[in-house]
């Protein structure tokens, strides 16, 4: 019997992405799935209901009630969880560390919930990696925001009135978002530097035509993330960085660790040492910020005229391509279990087992389990 895959409109303020595009709907249909779509689910990403020729368009209540698999961008609300049939599957970016009550509701409803940010970051998982695909959008958009905000040109210009020197841009963090930011700033003609405490990123930064900023501190960690610095290492790094920031026009900070507060890299004192008119765009503002002055969703002007822009959900600002990549990520994950229209979860597959947040009335992710139980 065909598994019913459902998609509903995202209700979080400012969210314009959709978890299923017409392209991916066609692929799911070809694999034997039945698809129900809430009317208008893709409208904010410019995918009209008529484009979903392979879907049954229904009201939200009907979509949730019929869902055997619910695909979402943002975590489901408590009301949406309550409307799902017991034992349904939810695949989304679930942010379990932010809302213990949501994880508790998923557990109590016996929902099998897959948090895509928990996906092991292995070679095999790359095509399912929502963190990477959406970070690429964020890095790109952050540089465009900075280019608009800085009171200078990005590129060098030779004019009848003389030569205009290029803006000096520093990208902090060389993950997917940081590398995309470096590439975008380079395309716009800026003089670009990249900084990351992981020494293995030096070659990646330089391959994009940027200069690697070496602060004399290495924090190579496991799983592609940096380890936490010692206090002495942090102090040395901060002093060298503070001195360097005095000559920088634009900083884009991208350092983040899923499920944890963003590392604080730029202090208020560092901002105070920067030149008037300089711009900081903090992609990590929602998770605490890489800059001490960052406020999510706001632009803060420091006393010396530095603009600190705390961005919120940048992928939603490019909903067409962000949705296309996200939907493909979910399809590639769902493809592991969807055979001839039937969903069969292979718990021996580490990608399925380690991405699972809740199943059969239990919390499977140990750190989340501890968090929920401590907030009971």
């Amino acid at each position: 019997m065909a598994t019913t895959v459902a998609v509903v409109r995202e209700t979080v303020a400012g969210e314009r992405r959709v978890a299923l595009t017409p392209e991916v709907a066609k692929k799911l249909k070809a694999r034997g799935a039945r698809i129900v779509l809430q009317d208008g689910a893709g409208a904010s990403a410019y995918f009209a209901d008529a484009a979903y020729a392979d879907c049954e368009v229904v009201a939200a209540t009907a979509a949730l009630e019929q869902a055997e698999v619910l695909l979402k961008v943002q975590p489901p609300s408590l009301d949406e969880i309550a409307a799902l049939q017991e034992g349904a599957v939810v695949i989304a970016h679930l942010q379990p560390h932010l809302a213990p009550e949501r994880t508790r509701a998923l557990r109590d409803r016996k929902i099998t919930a897959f948090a895509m940010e928990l996906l092991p970051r292995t070679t095999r998982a790359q095509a399912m990696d929502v963190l990477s695909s959406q970070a690429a959008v964020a890095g790109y958009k952050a540089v465009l925001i900075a280019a608009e905000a800085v009171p200078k040109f990005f590129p060098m210009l030779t004019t009848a009135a003389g030569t205009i020197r290029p803006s000096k841009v520093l990208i902090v963090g060389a993950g997917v978002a940081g590398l995309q930011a470096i590439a975008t700033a380079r395309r716009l003609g800026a003089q670009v530097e990249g900084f990351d405490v992981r020494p293995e990123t030096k070659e990646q930064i330089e391959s994009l035509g940027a200069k690697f900023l070496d602060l004399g501190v290495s924090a190579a960690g496991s799983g592609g993330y940096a380890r936490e610095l010692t206090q002495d290492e942090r102090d040395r790094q901060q002093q060298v960085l503070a001195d360097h920031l005095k000559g920088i026009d634009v900083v884009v900070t991208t350092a983040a660790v899923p499920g944890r507060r963003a590392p604080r890299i730029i202090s208020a004192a560092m901002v105070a040492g920067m030149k008037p008119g300089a711009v900081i765009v903090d992609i990590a503002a929602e998770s605490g910020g890489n800059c001490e002055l960052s406020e999510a969703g706001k632009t803060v002007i420091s006393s010396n005229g530095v603009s600190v822009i705390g961005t919120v959900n940048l992928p939603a600002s490019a909903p067409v391509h962000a949705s296309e990549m996200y939907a493909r990520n979910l399809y590639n994950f769902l493809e592991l279990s969807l055979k001839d229209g039937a969903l069969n979860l292979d718990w021996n597959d580490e990608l399925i087992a380690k991405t699972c947040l809740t199943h059969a009335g239990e919390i499977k992710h140990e750190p989340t389990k501890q968090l929920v139980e401590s907030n009971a």
Side-chain angles (χ1 to χ4, degrees):
M1 189 173 177
T3 297
T4 299
V5 177
V7 179
V8 294
R9 279 197 298 266
E10 299 293 328
T11 57
V12 172
E15 183 54 74
R16 297 171 60 196
R17 292 170 291 174
V18 63
L20 184 72
T21 60
E23 170 207 13
V24 171
K26 186 175 295 185
K27 290 182 178 181
L28 285 175
K29 187 73 172 180
R31 295 189 70 85
R34 171 179 175 250
I35 307 164
V36 294
L37 178 86
Q38 180 188 356
D39 56 289
S44 60
Y46 304 102
F47 299 114
D49 289 346
Y52 292 91
D54 301 288
C55 304
E56 299 173 36
V57 179
V58 299
T61 302
L64 292 168
E65 289 175 348
Q66 296 177 53
E68 292 175 273
V69 177
L70 176 66
L71 304 180
K72 280 187 62 65
V73 178
Q74 296 285 351
S77 66
L78 295 179
D79 287 341
E80 287 172 333
I81 294 170
L84 291 170
Q85 57 185 283
E86 191 172 277
V89 173
V90 172
I91 306 175
H93 187 245
L94 292 176
Q95 305 170 29
H97 60 291
L98 296 180
E101 69 280 3
R102 182 167 55 235
T103 303
R104 197 177 296 118
L106 290 166
R107 176 199 65 192
D108 295 346
R109 193 69 179 156
K110 294 184 171 58
I111 301 296
T112 297
F114 291 101
M116 293 304 293
E117 63 268 47
L118 300 181
L119 183 79
R121 307 197 86 178
T122 63
T123 301
R124 180 167 162 254
Q126 286 180 347
M128 313 165 199
D129 190 347
V130 300
L131 293 179
S132 292
S133 71
Q134 303 307 289
V137 183
Y140 170 78
K141 294 292 286 190
V143 171
L144 299 187
I145 290 169
E148 184 175 12
V150 74
K152 295 183 173 184
F153 289 119
F154 258 38
M156 181 181 76
L157 297 178
T158 301
T159 75
T163 299
I164 303 295
R165 298 178 65 85
S167 292
K168 293 183 178 181
V169 176
L170 173 64
I171 310 298
V172 177
V176 174
L179 293 174
Q180 185 62 248
I182 289 170
T184 303
R186 286 281 297 153
R187 291 188 196 105
L188 292 176
Q191 183 178 319
V192 186
E193 294 177 307
F195 162 67
D196 198 294
V197 290
R198 299 167 297 160
E200 64 268 24
T201 61
K202 181 176 187 291
E203 186 176 338
Q204 294 171 300
I205 289 169
E206 292 177 342
S207 72
L208 294 171
K211 179 181 177 183
F212 179 74
L213 176 61
D214 187 355
L215 299 183
V217 176
S218 172
S222 60
Y225 297 110
R227 65 171 173 82
E228 191 167 352
L229 299 175
T230 66
Q231 188 58 51
D232 181 60
E233 288 173 328
R234 191 176 292 109
D235 291 344
R236 282 190 288 125
Q237 171 193 283
Q238 295 248 312
Q239 184 54 57
V240 178
L241 181 59
D243 292 340
H244 192 75
L245 286 174
K246 294 176 182 178
I248 297 295
D249 300 303
V250 168
V251 182
V252 176
T253 66
T254 70
V257 179
R260 293 173 55 185
R261 185 179 177 86
R264 181 63 50 78
I265 297 172
I266 299 177
S267 66
M270 290 182 187
V271 176
M274 294 177 71
K275 62 177 75 171
V279 171
I280 297 172
V281 178
D282 191 346
I283 291 179
E286 286 178 279
S287 57
N290 295 144
C291 177
E292 186 177 352
L293 299 184
S294 295
E295 293 185 32
K298 296 182 180 180
T299 296
V300 176
I301 310 295
S302 71
S303 58
N304 58 317
V306 176
S307 298
V308 182
I309 304 172
T311 63
V312 175
N313 195 7
L314 284 179
S317 66
V320 174
H321 283 157
S323 296
E324 288 177 350
M325 291 190 290
Y326 185 86
R328 289 170 192 160
N329 292 149
L330 295 197
Y331 172 77
N332 290 330
F333 181 75
L334 191 54
E335 190 181 29
L336 298 174
S337 307
L338 193 62
K339 312 294 181 186
D340 298 323
L343 189 72
N344 294 296
L345 298 171
D346 179 5
W347 296 107
N348 292 318
D349 186 329
E350 72 160 355
L351 298 186
I352 291 173
K354 292 186 177 180
T355 308
C356 185
L357 177 64
T358 62
H359 174 65
E362 296 182 19
I363 299 173
K364 294 296 187 179
H365 183 241
E366 193 58 37
T368 301
K369 183 177 181 179
Q370 295 174 10
L371 176 66
V372 169
E373 291 176 350
S374 68
N375 284 273

